[in-house]
Amino acid sequence: MIEFHLDSRSGVSAYLQLVQQVRRALRLGLLSEGDQLPTVKDVARQLAINPNTVLKAYRDLERDGLVAPRPGVGTFVTRTLTDNTLAAHGPLRTDLQRWLSKARRAGLDDESIEALFMTTFRAASEEDIA
Amino acid sequence: MTTALRTHELGKRYGRSRHWALKDCTLDLPTGRVVGLVGPNGAGKSTLLGLAAGMLVPTAGRIDVLGEAPSSGSEHLARVGFVSQDAPTYRGMSVADHLRLGAHLNPRWDDALVRERIDRLGIDPSRRTGSLSGGQRAQIALTMAIGKRPELLILDEPVAALDPLARREFMQDLMEAVAEQDLTVVLSSHLVSDLERACDYLVVLVDSQVRVAGDLEELLASHRRMTGARRPSDVGPAGHHVVTASHTDRQSTFVVRTGGPLVDPSWDATPLGLEDLVLAYLRGDASYERPRPTVEVVR
């Protein structure tokens, strides 16, 4: 079982924070297939939050095929998000570090590096979609 | 959609006073929601809630609660729970006496539910309510109101007098009750932060009139703060309804209810949080036009 936390100053809606926390738990392997999510009533109580917000988050996860409700029992994980890419993280990080030092040598400051990365990342994601 | 509370040009004056505590109030609140009623002190929140609970009689206009006039009989009263601002209990009576009284007066009294709640609150039933803390008294009042299994629960500033921990515990108990029961809640507060997580419907009352009312998420999705180069007047971005406008020598800032897609690149549009949204309506004098049939929010 996981426990939810809400950051009221993050600017992210409560419903989205719940969705993100489940997804993160699935990615980190904290939740796996067959695990039960806290009941809507328990989350509403624990966070003093509108139960409809919890329902909405769970429905969203259901739509993504990650969880399924069992009537009268609760909501259960049906799929995990852990993957086999962990092995590739090391080499990719080395590449990225090399690229970062190159960017610094070229005179880019933190803000410019971040902006360049984000615009390139977004452009690449859009190309993938198109 | 069924209606929990419907008013039409509702007005209230107390005694021979010429002052309208509530005036031309027209509202339609759906069932199954947790409705937050926000407004400054003296806006008429308590008057509206008192009218809805059948504790007050309207001077003008009409009010329907769960499809009937309030105070239309004891059967109707049993469907509505009401906790007024000071969380009233009989101070000389014990908690157990309160529960006996509740069971005696309410046809749908849920004794098991009430005992379970009192037990969890850790309050000794033999204690007089006068000896309890403010937070505990508020919890007893809420428990009594929930114990009668109402369809509509009306809470007037339920947490205003409580410390942060008692506030939190009260809201936790309330949200649990909403999850358990088929319950519509209308609660008032002059603090937006009390309502942010709990409510899914918002009513802003200013100077005894409704400034804005609607589904909280739709309201947040349809309002933007737009900044751009100084414009000559208070004429805001075309096609959008201006709530507030402010100007410096260089810049104009508008809070708008969007009337369509935001396409004009000369404006920088950012979403508003609940607090800023409410403040805009408290400050702005533009009244809110009821939106056309709800537009599906595109994600």
Side-chain angles (χ1 to χ4, degrees), chain A residues 45-47 50 52 56, chain B residues 172-173 180 197-198 200 217:
Chain A
R45 180 181 172 79
Q46 186 223 331
L47 299 175
N50 191 308
N52 288 327
K56 192 176 170 215
Chain B
Q172 286 182 318
D173 271 19
E180 273 174 338
R197 291 175 174 192
D200 52 18
E217 247 179 72

Side-chain angles (χ1 to χ4, degrees), chain B residues 46-105:
Chain B
S46 294
T47 301
L48 175 60
L49 296 183
L51 287 163
M55 308 287 282
L56 300 171
V57 180
T59 316
R62 225 185 41 234
I63 179 165
D64 281 328
V65 176
L66 301 168
E68 286 180 90
S71 66
S72 59
S74 61
E75 228 169 274
H76 186 254
L77 275 178
R79 298 167 68 197
V80 181
F82 177 58
V83 180
S84 69
Q85 209 157 354
D86 41 1
T89 56
Y90 298 98
R91 291 181 168 238
M93 275 169 54
S94 71
V95 174
D97 287 340
H98 277 84
L99 303 193
R100 266 193 292 280
L101 188 65
H104 184 69
L105 292 176

Side-chain angles (χ1 to χ4, degrees), chain B residues 8-24:
Chain B
H8 182 73
E9 292 172 8
L10 184 67
K12 174 69 186 172
R13 277 185 311 196
Y14 290 98
R16 292 195 192 132
S17 165
R18 285 208 197 137
H19 171 74
W20 288 89
L22 191 72
K23 197 164 192 279
D24 293 333

Side-chain angles (χ1 to χ4, degrees), chain B residues 2-3 33 65 95 113 147 151 162 186-187 212 235-236 250 253 263 286 297:
Chain B
T2 40
T3 294
R33 298 304 198 100
V65 176
V95 174
L113 175 84
E151 291 163 54
L162 304 184
V186 181
L187 77 159
V212 64
V235 178
R250 297 277 175 84
T253 304
V263 281
V297 181

